[in-house]
Amino acid sequence: MKHKFLPAFRGLFSDGWKDPGIRTQIILAALAVCAAFILRLDAMEWCAGIICAGMVIAAEILNTAIETVCDLY
């Protein structure tokens, strides 16, 4: 099952890392995970934090894709 997600993560960190907006969101998500370890969050808080960080990164990727299509047009 791991090999199914590998191309997605590879694309996120190779192509996505080139865009400054996505790079910023990934770095901020990593800092949020570090803060969660320091604050010793419980399971529900971890789930909420991971879902929120994932949604922000997904929105930034969607925004970048729309900007790229508009630039091509």
Side-chain angles (χ1 to χ4, degrees):
M1 181 147 177
K2 178 177 76 170
H3 58 37
K4 292 182 180 182
F5 291 102
L6 192 60
F9 288 123
R10 194 175 291 149
L12 176 64
F13 288 110
S14 66
D15 295 334
W17 193 253
K18 295 175 187 173
D19 183 67
I22 297 172
R23 181 177 38 231
T24 302
Q25 296 304 327
I26 291 172
I27 291 169
L28 290 174
L31 289 174
V33 168
C34 292
F37 274 118
I38 293 169
L39 296 173
R40 297 185 180 124
L41 300 182
D42 64 3
M44 288 301 291
E45 293 168 333
W46 268 101
C47 289
I50 290 172
I51 289 171
C52 289
M55 289 175 65
V56 168
I57 292 171
E60 187 64 42
I61 291 170
L62 181 63
N63 180 39
T64 302
I66 292 170
E67 287 176 354
T68 303
V69 169
C70 289
D71 289 343
L72 289 174
Y73 181 70

